[in-house]
Amino acid sequence: MNEAKALPADLEQALLVGRVWRPGPVDGPSVVAVRKGEVIDITAVAPTMADLLDRPDRVALAASAAGESLGDARALMAANLAGEAGPRLLAPCDLQPVKAAGVTFAISLLERMIEEEAGGDASRAEEIRVRMQALIGSDLSRLRPGSPEAARLKAELIERGQWSQYLEVGIGPDAEVFSKAPPMASVGTGAQIGVLPESRWNNPEPEIVLAVDSRGEVVGATLGNDVNLRDIEGRSALLLTKAKDNNGSCAIGPFIRLFDGNFSMDSVRQADVSLRIEGLDGFELDGVSHMREISRDPLDLVRQACGRHHQYPDGFMLFLGTMFSPTQDRMGPGTGFTHKMGDRVVIASERLGALINEVRLATEIEPWAFGVRALYANLAGRGLLRQGA
């Protein structure tokens, strides 16, 4: 994938915001806007992404605020993908906690149930998959979660002894919304992503990620990789945090595309999200998810995440879930898919660009050392904090 395809196809019309680590005298993160393909540092007027997204005039600010030009977005992307020295793309969020909705597509529900019954043993997955597809596969794709039809299926499956905690959140009234990563822990495009050394069954999860402000309003969207350790979560759902929240296990980017006259929530609802995996062993895998097949509307997921019951004063990022769990055999019949070190993962959508990362062990990639205190110390040293910020 070249730098042009790593950016939105309609780049000239897209209003993008993001974060860039600037070396040299700045030696810290900057908030940037991309206007007609030009990257502008607007940190002087919006020191954090949370500040920018919470402003009612965020679209006008991103479109016109004065700032320092960092050059062409294509050149910045090319340098990042080539690993060259210079400004480095970061995850486009900072103070926002990262939440994730799970089991929002029928196919992902099936795969979670397979993990649960297999107890994390990948060799049992295919046999269980065939049996479960015969039992419930045709029903789930037509069900609206929380509907009377879903309640009847739930009762029938309980009667058959086939009920699962994943069915509860897949077809029940309450969505699964969990904490994926704390503020500042996510990595951006071009960075290495991490899996635990003890995991033997894992995969990427390509998703659209919503940017939500402190009032619960969705203000934009980007791409994410909810790196998943299937064997660990499959052993017990209580190991979800161990399976989901590790060094480099949350990738977001390349930029947040703000909602404006050219891009809206309906654009998200109609988006396709592709996944490509390229291994150093010559392995290749391609797949695509269609957001129109999601079982819960994105705004319903936002409402379940925040409201009178839960507030996010710095806003939050919300992964919407995936329908694509790779099952292609990689190391022999019945082995299914798992990552090998050095895999290149490309998650792309035409109007959002591409999130590109390389898989490594979480214990061997760059440690997470720059948190909220470091961010504010850096901004203060640059004279960018307003009174009361």
Side-chain angles (χ1 to χ4, degrees), residues 69-115:
S69 175
L70 302 184
D72 185 75
R74 299 172 188 85
L76 174 63
M77 182 65 74
N80 271 253
L81 297 181
E84 298 175 2
R88 184 176 81 251
L89 283 169
L90 303 173
C93 51
D94 42 38
L95 302 181
Q96 304 95 323
V98 180
K99 309 291 287 188
V103 201
T104 57
F105 290 84
I107 188 64
S108 65
L109 168 54
L110 178 65
E111 291 301 318
R112 287 291 180 265
M113 293 175 67
I114 291 167
E115 290 169 16

Side-chain angles (χ1 to χ4, degrees), residues 323-378:
M323 67 173 287
F324 192 70
S325 295
T327 59
Q328 181 178 327
D329 289 340
R330 185 169 193 176
M331 291 175 281
T335 60
F337 172 84
T338 196
H339 274 307
K340 287 187 176 182
M341 297 304 100
D343 280 354
R344 186 172 186 255
V345 180
V346 181
I347 296 169
S349 190
E350 183 178 28
R351 304 188 71 187
L352 294 172
L355 174 64
I356 305 170
N357 301 100
E358 178 188 356
V359 178
R360 293 290 179 184
L361 294 179
T363 51
E364 295 180 359
I365 64 177
E366 182 180 356
W368 175 35
F370 195 89
V372 174
R373 290 188 302 166
L375 171 64
Y376 274 90
N378 181 275

Side-chain angles (χ1 to χ4, degrees), residues 188-321:
T189 198
Q192 294 179 333
I193 51 177
V195 298
L196 293 181
E198 58 265 39
S199 177
R200 296 293 179 269
W201 187 21
N202 47 68
N203 63 269
E205 292 193 350
E207 306 186 25
I208 285 183
V209 183
L210 299 181
V212 187
D213 69 13
S214 66
R215 295 169 291 277
E217 178 184 353
V218 183
V219 299
T222 183
L223 296 169
N225 185 350
D226 177 12
V227 181
N228 181 48
L229 310 183
R230 301 189 70 179
D231 46 359
I232 291 177
E233 184 179 352
R235 282 163 46 203
S236 170
L238 298 182
L239 293 174
L240 178 67
T241 298
K242 183 178 180 68
K244 290 287 193 179
D245 185 7
N246 300 291
N247 190 25
S249 67
C250 182
I252 300 177
F255 297 96
I256 294 170
R257 182 162 184 170
L258 294 179
F259 287 171
D260 60 7
N262 295 313
F263 187 77
S264 67
M265 180 56 72
D266 283 337
S267 306
V268 171
R269 293 185 177 105
Q270 296 302 314
D272 295 331
V273 181
S274 67
L275 169 68
R276 180 169 177 79
I277 301 171
E278 302 168 349
L280 297 178
D281 57 354
F283 176 86
E284 295 183 350
L285 183 150
D286 290 282
V288 63
S289 296
H290 308 290
M291 284 299 298
R292 61 182 177 273
E293 297 180 16
I294 196 168
S295 59
R296 299 181 191 269
D297 186 77
L299 291 183
D300 176 51
L301 294 172
V302 172
R303 285 190 291 269
Q304 295 213 30
C306 72
R308 290 179 64 97
H309 65 290
H310 199 318
Q311 295 79 44
Y312 293 88
D314 298 311
F316 65 101
M317 307 295 289
L318 179 63
F319 278 73
L320 293 179

